[in-house]
Amino acid sequence: MPSSTRLASPWPIRQRQIRRQIIYLWWTLLLIVSFMLASGMLAVTLQASRDDTRPTDLALVVTPVVPSQAMINHTLDLYRRGLVTQILLVGEGSDGLRARLVEQGLSEERIVLLSPSHHVSADLQLAGQSARTQGSQTVLVVAEPADMLTALKIVRDQNLRAYSSPVRESTLDLGTLFRATMRYWHYVLALS
């Protein structure tokens, strides 16, 4: 049988279809990731600029490794204004913040210190459970602006009404915003 009368192999056509599907899949994934990143960065930015400070059952302070003087002053101000009567500290710098608050005249009985696990989301979940056990229903979350969205999400997932009270002297640069967005999506996607 002459070669011209043989049917052409469908393999090259199938390879093109597979290649086209892989390219579509790649672009779809790229668009999804880009959308998640952009929407997360927007949400972090909007929440960072929002201040819902009000009287609550307790303040939940998310402390970085080295708490800033602005965080110390802000926490003391909330207590002195009578907006909170109990302060719950979480995070790697909670020991240092506790010492500084006591040094500034805050009563040790008003400060609850949870042992840090070096994993802030686990600390916040534990803090939410502890707050509920103590009978608290409303929580004022004090944190750096970049950490506020994730902290509020975690505390609200513990069935508490949480309000934001960000430390104002912090800035949001692009790197900080990106890391905060990644922490938020990491927590949200880990729940799924």
Side-chain angles (χ1 to χ4, degrees), residues 40-108:
M41 290 175 105
L42 178 62
V44 167
T45 303
L46 291 174
Q47 186 59 60
S49 65
R50 184 179 179 142
D51 188 346
D52 294 325
T53 301
R54 65 188 66 195
T56 58
D57 296 330
L58 66 89
L60 175 63
V61 183
V62 183
T63 59
V65 175
V66 178
S68 66
Q69 187 61 45
M71 179 172 275
I72 295 164
N73 294 341
H74 185 66
T75 305
L76 285 169
D77 182 57
L78 293 172
Y79 179 76
R80 288 178 179 151
R81 288 174 38 203
L83 296 172
V84 296
T85 57
Q86 189 85 8
I87 298 171
L88 184 59
L89 303 178
V90 297
E92 293 182 70
S94 54
D95 287 326
L97 180 59
R98 181 174 193 253
R100 297 288 302 275
L101 291 172
V102 170
E103 188 180 285
Q104 296 286 326
L106 191 63
S107 171
E108 286 189 45

Side-chain angles (χ1 to χ4, degrees), residues 132-165:
R132 275 198 334 269
T133 301
Q134 294 176 11
S136 298
Q137 295 180 354
T138 58
V139 176
L140 189 61
V141 177
V142 177
E144 297 295 326
D147 298 328
M148 190 58 73
L149 181 68
T150 304
L152 285 172
K153 171 73 173 144
I154 294 169
V155 173
R156 288 175 179 159
D157 284 349
Q158 301 300 311
N159 296 321
L160 292 165
R161 284 185 310 230
Y163 304 100
S164 65
S165 186

